């Protein structure tokens, strides 16, 4: 039996002021809030078990949260000050209709990174954020691996998202920051099974903190 996939669209209430810390989206706190949509007793990897992925989109009406998970969402469990409105739908029929050769529009906010190679000892092996043409090339590779052939890529650098606060070797608190690039465009499906896996599991790093959710929609062909 195919596992269902649900999408929740949340219009963020303008009264909710705790989403941002020092002007940046607090992905760590928001993740905790959105996990309330999933069930309890999810084991050692609750986000992965719930299939929770999310993204913040900003439009004329304000901030919108797109949240995806593999179980019917518990909308009533959301914090009262977060959602101005929330609606959900089952994405499974859309995923079941995917076919090779189908042209789609896509959007993903991703943490495009690579590991430092020839660098100073303190940087070697650490992750570096990619920008511009390097970020586009990163997405082209990831899209191909995900069963998509991108015919158009428009990339937009977004503000960093804050992760958890950790402590360095001097016991100084440091808040992890994840770089974010949004990729929009048009692509042709080359492998529907790989694409379904990429949509349900997410792409790239920082999936807990608002990266990796790939959204697609059929492209209306001109008449």
């Amino acid at each position: 039996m195919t596992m269902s996939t649900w999408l929740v669209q949340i219009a963020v209430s303008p009264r909710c002021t705790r989403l941002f810390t020092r002007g940046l989206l607090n992905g760590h706190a928001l993740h905790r809030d959105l996990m309330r949509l999933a069930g309890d007793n999810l084991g050692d990897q609750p986000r992965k078990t719930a299939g929770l992925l999310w993204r913040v989109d900003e439009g004329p009406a304000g901030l919108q949260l797109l949240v995806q998970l593999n179980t019917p969402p518990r909308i009533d469990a959301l914090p009262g000050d977060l959602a101005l409105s929330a609606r959900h739908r089952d994405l499974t029929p859309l995923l079941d209709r995917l076919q090779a050769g189908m042209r789609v529009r896509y959007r993903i906010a991703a943490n495009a990174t690579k590991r430092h190679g020839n660098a100073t000892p303190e940087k070697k092996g650490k992750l570096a954020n990619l920008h511009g043409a390097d970020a586009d090339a990163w997405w082209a590779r990831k899209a191909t691996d995900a069963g998509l052939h991108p015919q158009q890529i428009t990339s937009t650098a977004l503000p960093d998202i804050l992760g958890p606060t950790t402590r360095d070797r001097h016991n100084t608190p440091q808040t992890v920051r994840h770089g974010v690039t949004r990729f929009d465009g048009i692509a042709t499906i080359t492998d529907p099974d790989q694409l379904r896996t990429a949509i349900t599991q997410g792409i790239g790093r920082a999936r807990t903190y608002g990266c990796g959710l790939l959204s697609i929609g059929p492209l209306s062909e001109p008449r």
Side-chain angles (χ1 to χ4, degrees):
M1 184 174 63
T2 303
M3 182 177 293
S4 63
T5 303
W6 294 81
L7 180 70
V8 185
Q9 295 173 281
I10 301 171
V12 178
S13 171
R15 299 190 305 272
C16 186
T17 59
R18 56 192 174 79
L19 295 188
F20 294 88
T21 300
R22 300 186 300 278
L24 296 177
L25 188 71
N26 190 329
H28 183 61
L30 189 50
H31 165 72
R32 290 200 305 266
D33 286 343
L34 297 178
M35 278 298 298
R36 298 188 186 190
L37 290 166
D40 300 319
N41 303 317
L42 296 174
D44 296 334
Q45 296 179 299
R47 187 210 64 80
K48 186 175 180 179
T49 301
L52 184 78
L53 298 165
W54 58 273
R55 183 177 76 240
V56 174
D57 284 340
E58 187 167 5
L63 290 181
Q64 176 181 243
L65 282 165
L66 296 180
V67 188
Q68 184 178 286
L69 65 168
N70 60 23
T71 185
R74 304 187 304 177
I75 301 295
D76 292 344
L78 285 172
D81 66 334
L82 176 62
L84 185 65
S85 64
R87 54 196 179 100
H88 64 281
R89 61 189 177 100
D90 188 353
L91 287 181
T92 311
L94 169 64
L95 300 183
D96 288 343
R97 289 197 301 269
L98 299 181
Q99 296 180 0
M102 180 184 295
R103 298 181 73 217
V104 296
R105 296 187 183 276
Y106 66 82
R107 169 171 286 186
I108 180 172
N111 178 228
T113 58
K114 72 171 183 179
R115 291 203 178 275
H116 284 285
N118 297 325
T120 57
E122 60 269 19
K123 286 188 175 181
K124 189 172 182 180
K126 293 186 177 181
L127 291 171
N129 291 316
L130 299 175
H131 305 281
D134 290 335
D136 290 352
W138 177 93
W139 167 240
R141 292 192 300 271
K142 292 294 185 179
T144 300
D145 292 342
L148 282 176
H149 174 63
Q151 297 161 320
Q152 181 189 93
I153 298 175
T154 300
S155 57
T156 306
L158 300 179
D160 290 353
I161 293 178
L162 299 179
T165 297
T166 60
R167 291 185 177 273
D168 63 15
R169 59 192 180 93
H170 303 294
N171 203 34
T172 303
Q174 294 183 327
T175 301
V176 177
R177 293 170 61 138
H178 300 285
V180 187
T181 302
R182 189 182 69 218
F183 300 98
D184 297 275
I186 296 171
T188 299
I189 297 175
T190 57
D191 190 317
D193 290 334
Q194 286 182 331
L195 181 55
R196 277 187 281 267
T197 298
I199 290 172
T200 55
Q201 295 185 3
I203 296 175
R205 297 179 179 275
R207 301 179 207 181
T208 299
Y209 308 112
C211 297
L213 171 60
L214 174 62
S215 303
I216 64 167
L219 179 67
S220 299
E221 300 288 353
R223 300 192 177 202

